[in-house]
Amino acid sequence: MWLRSTALAVFAAASCLPAWAQPPETLTLDDAFARVAQSHPDLRLIDGQRNVLSAEAERAALKPAWVAGLQIENALGTGDAGGFKQAEISLTLAGVLERGGKLDARRVLAQTRIDSLALQRETKRLDLLAEVARRYLAINAAQEQHRIADLDVAQRQRTVVGARQRLAAGASPESVVLTAQAALARAEMERDRAGQRSAAARQHLAALWGERKPAFGVVAGDPLLLPDIADFAALDELLVSTPELSRFADERRIGEARLQLARSQAVPDLDWQVGVRRLQATDDFALIGSVSMPLGSSRRAQPDIRVAEAELALVEIEREAQGLSLYSTLSEAHGRYRVAQLEVARLQSEVLPKLARAESAAERAYRGGAISYLEWAQLQSERTNARKQQLEAALEAQRALIEIQRLTGQAFVAGPAPQTQQETTP
């Protein structure tokens, strides 16, 4: 199932929630998917439309009603026609004989509209699952930002300790200590902001199923874990079966049914009537009957036929336009994923390890009085910014991956989490 596989693909490495955000309930991505699938009004609206279309199908399957009538002639007049002396009373039964396959055309049209609901629901479901994944990702992003902020706070705390030691030794002015403390305060503020962003992201996710006061946390994942995906050419082939294009097959069937119904209107129906008439003057009975047919039905049906033909032709044009739009979106998402994936890997393997060693060396040099506080602090900022850059690139890749999954309906499951290089500061 795309729903379950996406949970694995986007957040494959589970870990414990940090203490600052430990709620009483842990919500997995699968849980969020299930809640939205069960309660979102967009899906319930489509389910409700099925009842409407089913009732319309029953109405379309009805044949024209028979009409029973009572007719009185030559009554309540003057002279010999006074009262009911010469009244003629007729009992009639009338109806319409439909021709040209109108009944079958109505049935086919009603049924194709019902059949198209399944694809509409699947399209809406995939859109909602993608939105759930994006909002779930936002929570994990806030948690990862909090982790980075924790690392930055730890760095700044070491800076404050080192500055105080230099101040006590008379090797540094008090302004350096105050500057280091201000940098620590900014790092702590960024950590608090990440906590607030996490709470706001949980509220945003819970809004999808109408929960007003969310009291849950999410399974913390590793956004840096990016699965390998197929080449663009292989993904492009999957677009043919995507619900966004498959729906045009249903629309074409609906258009063909409407065209057939319009053509059936060119064949005139027959109005018939039969009955029994009683002749009051002679106390006799006689059968009566009539058949009528409207003239010019073919000419009057031509505008509706042309409209149905034009709408049917537009379906193919709309499908072509939608196909180009999906192709463009897939191409852009695939490119973003590849670029971000490369950036994450290079930062992890080359940039961050070097910055970690440089920052450690700078700390030793500062404590030994070889460099200034600003040089050490600048390296700390570089290291933190590199972590943030890597996280942002990973989030960009995850968002692109979600879009690719939405377009293709396929899941790309990440393998086991690689052993990432641990940054240590002696």
Side-chain angles (χ1 to χ4, degrees):
M1 292 291 292
W2 183 90
L3 183 151
R4 180 171 298 278
S5 298
T6 303
L8 298 174
V10 180
F11 309 109
S15 59
C16 297
L17 287 169
W20 60 270
Q22 186 68 42
E25 177 189 5
T26 299
L27 186 78
T28 66
L29 185 56
D30 278 342
D31 294 334
F33 283 158
R35 292 189 183 189
V36 170
Q38 291 172 0
S39 62
H40 199 278
D42 284 352
L43 297 180
R44 290 189 285 114
L45 180 63
I46 295 177
D47 293 338
Q49 289 175 345
R50 180 177 297 275
N51 296 330
V52 175
L53 294 181
S54 296
E56 291 182 354
E58 293 180 9
R59 182 177 62 187
L62 295 176
K63 297 180 179 180
W66 288 6
V67 180
L70 173 64
Q71 186 177 14
I72 301 177
E73 298 179 6
N74 302 328
L76 301 177
T78 60
D80 292 340
F84 293 92
K85 296 177 183 179
Q86 297 186 13
E88 296 180 357
I89 303 175
S90 302
L91 294 176
T92 61
L93 183 65
V96 177
L97 177 61
E98 289 188 315
R99 303 171 64 226
K102 294 182 178 66
L103 177 60
D104 290 338
R106 290 198 305 269
R107 286 173 174 171
V108 171
L109 177 58
Q111 187 59 47
T112 52
R113 293 179 65 191
I114 293 175
D115 295 340
S116 68
L117 283 180
L119 204 54
Q120 293 178 29
R121 193 183 193 283
E122 180 63 14
T123 301
K124 176 58 67 175
R125 189 183 73 90
L126 290 179
D127 289 342
L128 285 173
L129 296 188
E131 182 61 22
V132 171
R134 282 190 286 266
R135 297 189 186 189
Y136 197 95
L137 177 63
I139 302 176
N140 277 263
Q143 293 178 350
E144 187 66 15
Q145 289 164 354
H146 191 278
R147 186 189 68 82
I148 293 175
D150 273 338
L151 295 175
D152 192 28
V153 167
Q155 289 182 148
R156 302 301 178 178
Q157 287 173 341
R158 293 198 307 273
T159 306
V160 171
V161 172
R164 284 175 175 169
Q165 290 174 349
R166 293 286 299 275
L167 175 63
S172 178
E174 184 181 5
S175 60
V176 172
V177 177
L178 295 175
T179 303
Q181 290 174 339
L184 173 60
R186 281 196 294 267
E188 291 172 341
M189 178 185 66
E190 183 60 31
R191 181 178 59 185
D192 294 340
R193 288 178 58 190
Q196 290 299 320
R197 280 194 293 266
S198 178
R202 280 200 301 272
Q203 183 68 66
H204 196 210
L205 174 63
L208 284 174
W209 54 82
E211 187 174 349
R212 301 294 182 179
K213 296 180 179 180
F216 61 82
V218 303
V219 177
D222 183 6
L224 304 182
L225 185 60
L226 302 176
D228 289 330
I229 61 175
D231 293 335
F232 177 72
L235 294 178
D236 182 32
E237 295 178 357
L238 297 175
L239 283 181
V240 178
S241 59
T242 184
E244 292 193 46
L245 289 182
S246 299
R247 70 180 177 87
F248 287 101
D250 283 342
E251 290 188 8
R252 181 172 183 81
R253 285 191 289 270
I254 293 175
E256 290 172 347
R258 285 175 175 163
L259 177 58
Q260 182 58 37
L261 181 59
R263 286 173 175 170
S264 70
Q265 300 299 323
V267 181
D269 297 332
L270 295 179
D271 295 329
W272 59 267
Q273 181 178 348
V274 296
V276 178
R277 176 173 292 176
R278 181 179 182 277
L279 305 176
Q280 184 71 12
T282 60
D283 199 20
D284 291 328
F285 291 89
L287 293 177
I288 59 174
S290 67
V291 177
S292 62
M293 181 180 68
L295 301 178
S297 297
S298 178
R299 178 177 55 82
R300 288 193 301 271
Q302 290 309 308
D304 289 338
I305 293 176
R306 290 197 298 271
V307 168
E309 289 175 340
E311 290 179 344
L312 185 58
L314 287 177
V315 171
E316 188 59 32
I317 299 176
E318 291 176 354
R319 186 191 185 283
E320 183 179 353
Q322 183 68 12
L324 288 176
S325 176
L326 293 178
Y327 178 88
S328 177
T329 302
L330 179 63
S331 174
E332 188 266 345
H334 187 270
R336 283 193 293 123
Y337 184 83
R338 288 297 195 198
V339 172
Q341 187 182 39
L342 175 62
E343 185 177 356
V344 169
R346 286 290 182 85
L347 285 168
Q348 183 66 38
S349 63
E350 300 178 14
V351 178
L352 284 171
K354 290 181 174 62
L355 286 176
R357 292 195 296 269
E359 197 269 334
S360 298
E363 180 177 2
R364 291 192 298 270
Y366 175 76
R367 294 181 184 276
I371 63 172
S372 67
Y373 159 78
L374 291 178
E375 293 176 282
W376 184 18
Q378 183 177 5
L379 277 172
Q380 288 179 329
S381 297
E382 286 289 335
R383 189 179 178 190
T384 299
N385 290 336
R387 290 188 182 118
K388 292 179 179 179
Q389 180 185 355
Q390 185 188 37
L391 175 60
E392 186 54 40
L395 295 176
E396 178 69 12
Q398 295 285 9
R399 287 188 285 265
L401 179 61
I402 292 171
E403 185 65 14
I404 292 172
Q405 290 171 327
R406 184 188 70 84
L407 292 173
T408 63
Q410 302 295 318
F412 307 99
V413 182
Q419 294 296 323
T420 56
Q421 181 173 352
Q422 299 294 324
E423 298 180 28
T424 57
T425 303

